[in-house]
Amino acid sequence: MPRRHLRVTGAAREPLGAVLRELRTKLDVPEEFPADVVAEAERVAAAPPWLPDRDETAVPFFTIDPPTSTDLDQAMHLSRRPGGGYRVRYAIADVAAYVTPGGALDAEAHRRVTTLYFPDEKVPLHPTVLSEGAASLLPDQTCPAVLWTIDLDADGRTETTDVVRALVRSRAKLDYAGVQKAIDDGTAEEPLALLKDIGLLRGQLEVERGGISLDVPEQEIVASDTAYELAYRAPLPADAWNAQISLLTGMAAADLMLAAGTGILRTLPAAPDGAVGRLRRTAKALHIEWPHHVPYSDLIRSLDPRVPHHAAFLQECTTLLRGAGYTAFRGGETPALATHAAVAAPYTHCTAPLRRLVDRYTSELCLAASAERGVPEWVLTALDELPKEMADGTRRANSVERECVDLVEAALLRHRVGEIFDAVVVDVKDHEQAVGTVQLTEPAVVARVEGGASALPLGERLRVRLAQADPGTAKVLFTPA
């Protein structure tokens, strides 16, 4: 089944609470923080072990996040350079200012690895007194940050990169819909309005280097006090522009570490010929023209996810993004695989340390590289084990995502077994053409279909009957009607 890009909005209570609690037990999800971890977090939140000397609180930073988010990792300020080009200031929460290597907080972060998102609650990487309090870049709160200053030329290409520790102060907590509206109606002030200009320039550079950003609608769990619903969320242009700033920083971080000879990269090998060949066969089945001289990256940019057979093909394209991992290196030796195939350049994770363990380490590696000094010993000690830790944590996060959607889908449809729905076939198994995946128009469900006498019509509309749906015991299953 194609991977689902999941967002959770709100926090419902019952009736799924018990089933979700069972799921957390099944997946061995850590919930309550040990007493010593809480005590350390409360102590350092009240008085951080150290704070940077540099003060950049005069810069009017802003954050862009979903409306309900309070674990704010990034704040930005964008400006024009006097001689032409742009300056990107990107402040990243400085978790290392609070977490002592080898302490209780550090050990617990290595156990958790990532923040996990459930419909009824969030299981954070760090205690909320830090992740949603002292260390979060909340508006009108002075915080320690790892401050990136990246100067771009008039075409959006990186000219210089500087990374330092500094105190920062966000002025505004913005959300994607509000940002999009302000930019579209011309009311955005220049530091925000430049998000579009820089985002579009960086998007064009992505095209030039052969990178890809799949515009696949996200499946969103929307929760109220009494019920769950599912919806499809088409990403806004502002999502893509904001993502380009994060991508820019991740590429700059990779370049810094590679130049210094020590670091950790987010890597993805090129898709094997067999996978691309399968995708070409899928394109043919979906009546999508793909001339041999047209690169894969150019083809997907020509597709409209609102068109059913285009959406089906875009879902299939996600299969080429499997196999991503983390690659650590040291001693000046460049790893054999140093690039991320979807980015089409070296890249790393460095912009979400409140929610992802590895980012705290990449911040330290980049600070050391930028200052041309040695890497802290606590970073070097952990470096070799980080790829495995992140792989394990990412697998658990993916399992949580899949299982949560399955449960909500089953709960949403449990009383509608036997009903007929309109759907589109978005995936067909290679060797079992009567088995695949359908995407319902309403409600926003993506589920397995099987039991027909003939091959499923990939990318075409299909009437399906709900055969089973029972949260906790049976995933949603359809049959051709």
Side-chain angles (χ1 to χ4, degrees):
M1 180 181 293
R3 185 177 185 276
R4 304 170 215 183
H5 301 268
L6 171 68
R7 287 176 181 245
V8 180
T9 303
R13 306 296 184 260
E14 301 298 340
L16 273 184
V19 178
L20 289 167
R21 286 192 289 274
E22 290 174 8
L23 174 61
R24 286 189 278 273
T25 300
K26 168 188 167 185
L27 297 177
D28 193 27
V29 171
E31 293 203 62
E32 296 298 324
F33 285 93
D36 59 339
V37 175
V38 174
E40 183 179 339
E42 291 175 345
R43 184 175 66 253
V44 298
W50 54 271
L51 291 172
D53 295 328
R54 184 161 171 171
D55 189 330
E56 294 288 349
T57 55
V59 179
F61 289 97
F62 56 87
T63 61
I64 305 175
D65 289 276
T68 58
S69 294
T70 51
D71 48 350
L72 310 183
D73 290 284
Q74 317 104 15
M76 74 176 76
H77 182 269
L78 309 174
S79 59
R80 296 185 188 275
R81 295 166 60 198
Y86 306 90
R87 171 161 290 177
V88 175
R89 290 186 179 95
Y90 208 38
I92 307 302
D94 191 358
V95 176
Y98 299 92
V99 177
T100 301
L105 269 173
D106 185 34
E108 185 67 11
H110 279 269
R111 185 168 78 97
R112 294 180 175 236
V113 183
T114 67
T115 293
L116 301 174
Y117 295 89
F118 291 82
D120 59 337
E121 71 175 35
K122 176 169 58 181
V123 181
L125 175 60
H126 306 98
T128 55
V129 69
L130 290 180
S131 61
E132 299 180 38
S136 179
L137 302 182
L138 297 164
D140 300 319
Q141 173 170 283
T142 298
C143 300
V146 176
L147 178 57
W148 292 76
T149 302
I150 305 175
D151 283 346
L152 309 176
D153 66 15
D155 296 322
R157 300 180 191 278
T158 300
E159 289 192 337
T160 62
T161 300
D162 181 55
V163 192
V164 297
R165 282 194 153 95
L167 291 172
V168 302
R169 191 175 183 85
S170 173
R171 298 296 196 277
K173 180 180 181 294
L174 308 179
D175 61 73
Y176 293 101
V179 166
Q180 190 68 57
K181 184 178 184 301
I183 292 176
D184 288 347
D185 64 21
T187 60
E189 296 183 1
E190 184 172 84
L192 178 58
L194 287 176
L195 180 66
K196 177 180 180 179
D197 297 346
I198 295 172
L200 290 175
L201 287 171
R202 294 298 304 179
Q204 182 56 45
L205 293 174
E206 181 179 79
V207 172
E208 289 180 12
R209 66 177 184 268
I212 57 170
S213 295
L214 288 175
D215 188 14
V216 181
E218 296 173 332
Q219 203 173 13
E220 180 176 62
I221 296 174
V222 182
S224 67
D225 288 338
T226 58
Y228 295 94
E229 298 291 341
L230 284 162
Y232 296 124
R233 177 187 182 273
L236 297 168
D239 290 63
W241 304 332
N242 188 57
Q244 286 294 339
I245 302 299
S246 180
L247 189 64
L248 165 69
T249 310
M251 293 169 64
D255 289 344
L256 276 175
M257 291 187 292
L258 286 168
T262 303
I264 183 166
L265 304 174
R266 181 65 167 162
T267 53
L268 176 68
D273 290 341
V276 176
R278 180 183 185 278
L279 205 57
R280 284 194 172 275
R281 292 192 296 274
T282 301
K284 185 176 180 180
L286 291 170
H287 309 295
I288 293 173
E289 292 189 18
W290 187 358
H292 281 280
H293 68 277
V294 175
Y296 160 72
S297 56
D298 289 353
L299 174 69
I300 64 173
R301 289 188 183 89
S302 70
L303 303 179
D304 184 347
R306 294 168 296 183
V307 177
H309 64 287
H310 287 191
F313 185 75
L314 288 169
Q315 287 283 7
E316 285 298 307
C317 288
T318 62
T319 62
L320 297 192
L321 303 182
R322 295 171 185 167
Y326 294 88
T327 301
F329 61 99
R330 63 171 75 209
E333 293 186 9
T334 301
L337 177 61
T339 59
H340 191 289
V343 179
Y347 170 72
T348 196
H349 282 156
C350 64
T351 63
L354 294 176
R355 292 169 284 169
R356 195 166 49 210
L357 174 66
V358 71
D359 299 50
R360 170 158 54 104
Y361 288 87
T362 49
S363 286
E364 294 301 322
L365 288 157
C366 291
L367 285 161
S370 183
E372 298 183 350
R373 58 172 170 77
V375 176
E377 188 60 33
W378 63 269
V379 176
L380 294 175
T381 299
L383 189 59
D384 294 337
E385 292 300 315
L386 272 174
K388 182 181 183 303
E389 288 179 287
M390 290 306 303
D392 292 343
T394 301
R395 275 194 294 272
R396 180 162 56 186
N398 290 342
S399 295
V400 166
E401 177 180 302
R402 289 192 301 270
E403 296 275 1
C404 283
V405 176
D406 288 342
L407 287 173
V408 173
E409 287 178 337
L412 189 64
L413 295 172
R414 66 184 305 175
H415 300 302
R416 303 180 69 177
V417 172
E419 288 188 31
I420 294 176
F421 298 83
D422 291 319
V424 174
V425 180
V426 296
D427 186 45
V428 176
K429 291 189 72 172
D430 280 342
H431 303 297
E432 295 180 75
Q433 295 290 297
V435 178
T437 305
V438 289
Q439 178 174 307
L440 270 58
T441 305
E442 178 64 35
V445 167
V446 180
R448 185 180 177 90
V449 60
E450 62 180 41
S454 57
L456 293 168
L458 183 62
E460 302 295 332
R461 298 189 182 279
L462 180 71
R463 300 272 282 171
V464 293
R465 179 177 283 104
L466 180 60
Q468 67 179 37
D470 187 1
T473 60
K475 295 179 180 180
V476 172
L477 176 67
F478 291 95
T479 60

PDB file of all heavy atoms in Angstrom, residues 123-149:
ATOM      1  N   VAL A 123       3.238  11.683  21.989  1.00  0.00           N
ATOM      2  CA  VAL A 123       4.249  11.101  22.878  1.00  0.00           C
ATOM      3  C   VAL A 123       5.562  11.796  22.543  1.00  0.00           C
ATOM      4  O   VAL A 123       6.239  11.451  21.566  1.00  0.00           O
ATOM      5  CB  VAL A 123       4.356   9.575  22.685  1.00  0.00           C
ATOM      6  CG1 VAL A 123       5.398   8.989  23.629  1.00  0.00           C
ATOM      7  CG2 VAL A 123       3.006   8.912  22.910  1.00  0.00           C
ATOM      8  N   PRO A 124       5.953  12.812  23.327  1.00  0.00           N
ATOM      9  CA  PRO A 124       7.073  13.667  22.929  1.00  0.00           C
ATOM     10  C   PRO A 124       8.439  13.046  23.170  1.00  0.00           C
ATOM     11  O   PRO A 124       8.607  12.157  24.008  1.00  0.00           O
ATOM     12  CB  PRO A 124       6.878  14.914  23.795  1.00  0.00           C
ATOM     13  CG  PRO A 124       6.194  14.402  25.023  1.00  0.00           C
ATOM     14  CD  PRO A 124       5.315  13.266  24.570  1.00  0.00           C
ATOM     15  N   LEU A 125       9.392  13.552  22.425  1.00  0.00           N
ATOM     16  CA  LEU A 125      10.782  13.138  22.594  1.00  0.00           C
ATOM     17  C   LEU A 125      11.346  13.650  23.912  1.00  0.00           C
ATOM     18  O   LEU A 125      12.122  12.963  24.578  1.00  0.00           O
ATOM     19  CB  LEU A 125      11.612  13.663  21.421  1.00  0.00           C
ATOM     20  CG  LEU A 125      13.117  13.450  21.448  1.00  0.00           C
ATOM     21  CD1 LEU A 125      13.463  11.970  21.500  1.00  0.00           C
ATOM     22  CD2 LEU A 125      13.767  14.104  20.222  1.00  0.00           C
ATOM     23  N   HIS A 126      10.961  14.873  24.284  1.00  0.00           N
ATOM     24  CA  HIS A 126      11.422  15.491  25.529  1.00  0.00           C
ATOM     25  C   HIS A 126      10.202  15.894  26.374  1.00  0.00           C
ATOM     26  O   HIS A 126       9.123  16.134  25.818  1.00  0.00           O
ATOM     27  CB  HIS A 126      12.252  16.748  25.238  1.00  0.00           C
ATOM     28  CG  HIS A 126      13.393  16.530  24.313  1.00  0.00           C
ATOM     29  ND1 HIS A 126      13.317  16.813  22.959  1.00  0.00           N
ATOM     30  CD2 HIS A 126      14.645  16.038  24.525  1.00  0.00           C
ATOM     31  CE1 HIS A 126      14.471  16.517  22.387  1.00  0.00           C
ATOM     32  NE2 HIS A 126      15.290  16.041  23.301  1.00  0.00           N
ATOM     33  N   PRO A 127      10.347  15.995  27.672  1.00  0.00           N
ATOM     34  CA  PRO A 127       9.235  16.470  28.496  1.00  0.00           C
ATOM     35  C   PRO A 127       8.709  17.809  27.994  1.00  0.00           C
ATOM     36  O   PRO A 127       9.475  18.662  27.530  1.00  0.00           O
ATOM     37  CB  PRO A 127       9.866  16.608  29.889  1.00  0.00           C
ATOM     38  CG  PRO A 127      10.974  15.599  29.891  1.00  0.00           C
ATOM     39  CD  PRO A 127      11.525  15.625  28.486  1.00  0.00           C
ATOM     40  N   THR A 128       7.400  17.993  28.096  1.00  0.00           N
ATOM     41  CA  THR A 128       6.786  19.186  27.501  1.00  0.00           C
ATOM     42  C   THR A 128       7.244  20.482  28.174  1.00  0.00           C
ATOM     43  O   THR A 128       7.142  21.541  27.558  1.00  0.00           O
ATOM     44  CB  THR A 128       5.257  19.089  27.554  1.00  0.00           C
ATOM     45  OG1 THR A 128       4.837  18.857  28.913  1.00  0.00           O
ATOM     46  CG2 THR A 128       4.762  17.960  26.670  1.00  0.00           C
ATOM     47  N   VAL A 129       7.737  20.402  29.389  1.00  0.00           N
ATOM     48  CA  VAL A 129       8.253  21.622  30.017  1.00  0.00           C
ATOM     49  C   VAL A 129       9.399  22.200  29.193  1.00  0.00           C
ATOM     50  O   VAL A 129       9.649  23.413  29.202  1.00  0.00           O
ATOM     51  CB  VAL A 129       8.697  21.337  31.476  1.00  0.00           C
ATOM     52  CG1 VAL A 129       9.934  20.451  31.514  1.00  0.00           C
ATOM     53  CG2 VAL A 129       8.927  22.638  32.234  1.00  0.00           C
ATOM     54  N   LEU A 130      10.065  21.332  28.398  1.00  0.00           N
ATOM     55  CA  LEU A 130      11.098  21.784  27.465  1.00  0.00           C
ATOM     56  C   LEU A 130      10.553  21.922  26.052  1.00  0.00           C
ATOM     57  O   LEU A 130      10.634  22.982  25.439  1.00  0.00           O
ATOM     58  CB  LEU A 130      12.281  20.809  27.462  1.00  0.00           C
ATOM     59  CG  LEU A 130      13.165  20.748  28.700  1.00  0.00           C
ATOM     60  CD1 LEU A 130      14.267  19.725  28.488  1.00  0.00           C
ATOM     61  CD2 LEU A 130      13.757  22.119  28.996  1.00  0.00           C
ATOM     62  N   SER A 131       9.980  20.817  25.510  1.00  0.00           N
ATOM     63  CA  SER A 131       9.621  20.788  24.094  1.00  0.00           C
ATOM     64  C   SER A 131       8.481  21.735  23.737  1.00  0.00           C
ATOM     65  O   SER A 131       8.379  22.190  22.595  1.00  0.00           O
ATOM     66  CB  SER A 131       9.260  19.364  23.671  1.00  0.00           C
ATOM     67  OG  SER A 131       8.147  18.890  24.405  1.00  0.00           O
ATOM     68  N   GLU A 132       7.598  22.019  24.698  1.00  0.00           N
ATOM     69  CA  GLU A 132       6.503  22.950  24.434  1.00  0.00           C
ATOM     70  C   GLU A 132       6.590  24.157  25.362  1.00  0.00           C
ATOM     71  O   GLU A 132       5.644  24.942  25.445  1.00  0.00           O
ATOM     72  CB  GLU A 132       5.163  22.231  24.604  1.00  0.00           C
ATOM     73  CG  GLU A 132       4.997  21.061  23.649  1.00  0.00           C
ATOM     74  CD  GLU A 132       3.674  20.336  23.810  1.00  0.00           C
ATOM     75  OE1 GLU A 132       2.662  21.019  24.049  1.00  0.00           O
ATOM     76  OE2 GLU A 132       3.655  19.098  23.694  1.00  0.00           O
ATOM     77  N   GLY A 133       7.737  24.276  26.032  1.00  0.00           N
ATOM     78  CA  GLY A 133       7.926  25.383  26.963  1.00  0.00           C
ATOM     79  C   GLY A 133       9.245  26.088  26.755  1.00  0.00           C
ATOM     80  O   GLY A 133       9.449  26.790  25.777  1.00  0.00           O
ATOM     81  N   ALA A 134      10.197  25.852  27.651  1.00  0.00           N
ATOM     82  CA  ALA A 134      11.427  26.645  27.686  1.00  0.00           C
ATOM     83  C   ALA A 134      12.243  26.582  26.405  1.00  0.00           C
ATOM     84  O   ALA A 134      12.828  27.583  25.976  1.00  0.00           O
ATOM     85  CB  ALA A 134      12.281  26.188  28.870  1.00  0.00           C
ATOM     86  N   ALA A 135      12.318  25.405  25.751  1.00  0.00           N
ATOM     87  CA  ALA A 135      13.161  25.265  24.556  1.00  0.00           C
ATOM     88  C   ALA A 135      12.429  25.582  23.264  1.00  0.00           C
ATOM     89  O   ALA A 135      13.054  25.697  22.207  1.00  0.00           O
ATOM     90  CB  ALA A 135      13.725  23.848  24.488  1.00  0.00           C
ATOM     91  N   SER A 136      11.109  25.708  23.311  1.00  0.00           N
ATOM     92  CA  SER A 136      10.323  25.971  22.109  1.00  0.00           C
ATOM     93  C   SER A 136      10.400  27.437  21.722  1.00  0.00           C
ATOM     94  O   SER A 136      10.396  28.326  22.585  1.00  0.00           O
ATOM     95  CB  SER A 136       8.856  25.579  22.372  1.00  0.00           C
ATOM     96  OG  SER A 136       8.051  25.846  21.251  1.00  0.00           O
ATOM     97  N   LEU A 137      10.441  27.704  20.414  1.00  0.00           N
ATOM     98  CA  LEU A 137      10.566  29.077  19.935  1.00  0.00           C
ATOM     99  C   LEU A 137       9.186  29.745  19.877  1.00  0.00           C
ATOM    100  O   LEU A 137       8.708  30.200  18.844  1.00  0.00           O
ATOM    101  CB  LEU A 137      11.234  29.091  18.559  1.00  0.00           C
ATOM    102  CG  LEU A 137      12.623  28.447  18.505  1.00  0.00           C
ATOM    103  CD1 LEU A 137      13.216  28.546  17.103  1.00  0.00           C
ATOM    104  CD2 LEU A 137      13.556  29.063  19.527  1.00  0.00           C
ATOM    105  N   LEU A 138       8.562  29.794  21.033  1.00  0.00           N
ATOM    106  CA  LEU A 138       7.241  30.400  21.165  1.00  0.00           C
ATOM    107  C   LEU A 138       7.327  31.910  21.031  1.00  0.00           C
ATOM    108  O   LEU A 138       8.375  32.515  21.336  1.00  0.00           O
ATOM    109  CB  LEU A 138       6.641  30.033  22.526  1.00  0.00           C
ATOM    110  CG  LEU A 138       6.383  28.537  22.759  1.00  0.00           C
ATOM    111  CD1 LEU A 138       6.177  28.254  24.245  1.00  0.00           C
ATOM    112  CD2 LEU A 138       5.187  28.084  21.939  1.00  0.00           C
ATOM    113  N   PRO A 139       6.267  32.562  20.569  1.00  0.00           N
ATOM    114  CA  PRO A 139       6.328  34.018  20.391  1.00  0.00           C
ATOM    115  C   PRO A 139       6.565  34.744  21.719  1.00  0.00           C
ATOM    116  O   PRO A 139       6.040  34.347  22.766  1.00  0.00           O
ATOM    117  CB  PRO A 139       4.961  34.359  19.789  1.00  0.00           C
ATOM    118  CG  PRO A 139       4.077  33.208  20.127  1.00  0.00           C
ATOM    119  CD  PRO A 139       4.958  32.005  20.163  1.00  0.00           C
ATOM    120  N   ASP A 140       7.401  35.783  21.633  1.00  0.00           N
ATOM    121  CA  ASP A 140       7.701  36.661  22.777  1.00  0.00           C
ATOM    122  C   ASP A 140       8.398  35.924  23.916  1.00  0.00           C
ATOM    123  O   ASP A 140       8.300  36.317  25.082  1.00  0.00           O
ATOM    124  CB  ASP A 140       6.413  37.342  23.283  1.00  0.00           C
ATOM    125  CG  ASP A 140       5.755  38.185  22.206  1.00  0.00           C
ATOM    126  OD1 ASP A 140       6.492  38.870  21.461  1.00  0.00           O
ATOM    127  OD2 ASP A 140       4.517  38.145  22.089  1.00  0.00           O
ATOM    128  N   GLN A 141       9.131  34.870  23.579  1.00  0.00           N
ATOM    129  CA  GLN A 141       9.949  34.157  24.562  1.00  0.00           C
ATOM    130  C   GLN A 141      11.391  34.144  24.081  1.00  0.00           C
ATOM    131  O   GLN A 141      11.671  33.706  22.976  1.00  0.00           O
ATOM    132  CB  GLN A 141       9.441  32.720  24.728  1.00  0.00           C
ATOM    133  CG  GLN A 141      10.325  31.846  25.609  1.00  0.00           C
ATOM    134  CD  GLN A 141       9.690  30.519  25.960  1.00  0.00           C
ATOM    135  OE1 GLN A 141       8.820  30.464  26.828  1.00  0.00           O
ATOM    136  NE2 GLN A 141      10.104  29.444  25.291  1.00  0.00           N
ATOM    137  N   THR A 142      12.294  34.605  24.914  1.00  0.00           N
ATOM    138  CA  THR A 142      13.716  34.590  24.553  1.00  0.00           C
ATOM    139  C   THR A 142      14.262  33.187  24.768  1.00  0.00           C
ATOM    140  O   THR A 142      14.098  32.603  25.849  1.00  0.00           O
ATOM    141  CB  THR A 142      14.499  35.600  25.398  1.00  0.00           C
ATOM    142  OG1 THR A 142      14.004  36.918  25.124  1.00  0.00           O
ATOM    143  CG2 THR A 142      15.986  35.553  25.069  1.00  0.00           C
ATOM    144  N   CYS A 143      14.894  32.640  23.720  1.00  0.00           N
ATOM    145  CA  CYS A 143      15.359  31.247  23.741  1.00  0.00           C
ATOM    146  C   CYS A 143      16.762  31.146  23.167  1.00  0.00           C
ATOM    147  O   CYS A 143      17.132  31.899  22.262  1.00  0.00           O
ATOM    148  CB  CYS A 143      14.452  30.362  22.876  1.00  0.00           C
ATOM    149  SG  CYS A 143      12.735  30.307  23.377  1.00  0.00           S
ATOM    150  N   PRO A 144      17.537  30.172  23.634  1.00  0.00           N
ATOM    151  CA  PRO A 144      18.794  29.859  22.948  1.00  0.00           C
ATOM    152  C   PRO A 144      18.495  29.131  21.648  1.00  0.00           C
ATOM    153  O   PRO A 144      17.576  28.307  21.573  1.00  0.00           O
ATOM    154  CB  PRO A 144      19.517  28.950  23.940  1.00  0.00           C
ATOM    155  CG  PRO A 144      18.424  28.304  24.727  1.00  0.00           C
ATOM    156  CD  PRO A 144      17.315  29.320  24.815  1.00  0.00           C
ATOM    157  N   ALA A 145      19.250  29.436  20.607  1.00  0.00           N
ATOM    158  CA  ALA A 145      19.017  28.825  19.301  1.00  0.00           C
ATOM    159  C   ALA A 145      20.332  28.618  18.579  1.00  0.00           C
ATOM    160  O   ALA A 145      21.342  29.281  18.869  1.00  0.00           O
ATOM    161  CB  ALA A 145      18.095  29.699  18.449  1.00  0.00           C
ATOM    162  N   VAL A 146      20.310  27.674  17.654  1.00  0.00           N
ATOM    163  CA  VAL A 146      21.399  27.519  16.689  1.00  0.00           C
ATOM    164  C   VAL A 146      20.971  28.347  15.477  1.00  0.00           C
ATOM    165  O   VAL A 146      20.007  28.015  14.793  1.00  0.00           O
ATOM    166  CB  VAL A 146      21.605  26.048  16.321  1.00  0.00           C
ATOM    167  CG1 VAL A 146      22.678  25.911  15.240  1.00  0.00           C
ATOM    168  CG2 VAL A 146      21.974  25.247  17.565  1.00  0.00           C
ATOM    169  N   LEU A 147      21.661  29.443  15.247  1.00  0.00           N
ATOM    170  CA  LEU A 147      21.243  30.412  14.240  1.00  0.00           C
ATOM    171  C   LEU A 147      22.040  30.229  12.949  1.00  0.00           C
ATOM    172  O   LEU A 147      23.257  30.405  12.923  1.00  0.00           O
ATOM    173  CB  LEU A 147      21.426  31.833  14.767  1.00  0.00           C
ATOM    174  CG  LEU A 147      21.064  32.963  13.804  1.00  0.00           C
ATOM    175  CD1 LEU A 147      19.623  32.851  13.329  1.00  0.00           C
ATOM    176  CD2 LEU A 147      21.316  34.316  14.451  1.00  0.00           C
ATOM    177  N   TRP A 148      21.304  29.872  11.894  1.00  0.00           N
ATOM    178  CA  TRP A 148      21.877  29.761  10.559  1.00  0.00           C
ATOM    179  C   TRP A 148      21.683  31.081   9.819  1.00  0.00           C
ATOM    180  O   TRP A 148      20.576  31.625   9.804  1.00  0.00           O
ATOM    181  CB  TRP A 148      21.189  28.641   9.780  1.00  0.00           C
ATOM    182  CG  TRP A 148      21.465  27.275  10.293  1.00  0.00           C
ATOM    183  CD1 TRP A 148      20.927  26.689  11.409  1.00  0.00           C
ATOM    184  CD2 TRP A 148      22.349  26.322   9.717  1.00  0.00           C
ATOM    185  NE1 TRP A 148      21.429  25.423  11.558  1.00  0.00           N
ATOM    186  CE2 TRP A 148      22.298  25.170  10.538  1.00  0.00           C
ATOM    187  CE3 TRP A 148      23.166  26.324   8.584  1.00  0.00           C
ATOM    188  CZ2 TRP A 148      23.043  24.028  10.258  1.00  0.00           C
ATOM    189  CZ3 TRP A 148      23.910  25.187   8.308  1.00  0.00           C
ATOM    190  CH2 TRP A 148      23.858  24.064   9.139  1.00  0.00           C
ATOM    191  N   THR A 149      22.755  31.575   9.208  1.00  0.00           N
ATOM    192  CA  THR A 149      22.650  32.720   8.307  1.00  0.00           C
ATOM    193  C   THR A 149      23.172  32.268   6.956  1.00  0.00           C
ATOM    194  O   THR A 149      24.366  31.962   6.804  1.00  0.00           O
ATOM    195  CB  THR A 149      23.466  33.920   8.817  1.00  0.00           C
ATOM    196  OG1 THR A 149      22.995  34.277  10.125  1.00  0.00           O
ATOM    197  CG2 THR A 149      23.302  35.114   7.876  1.00  0.00           C
TER     198      THR A 149
END
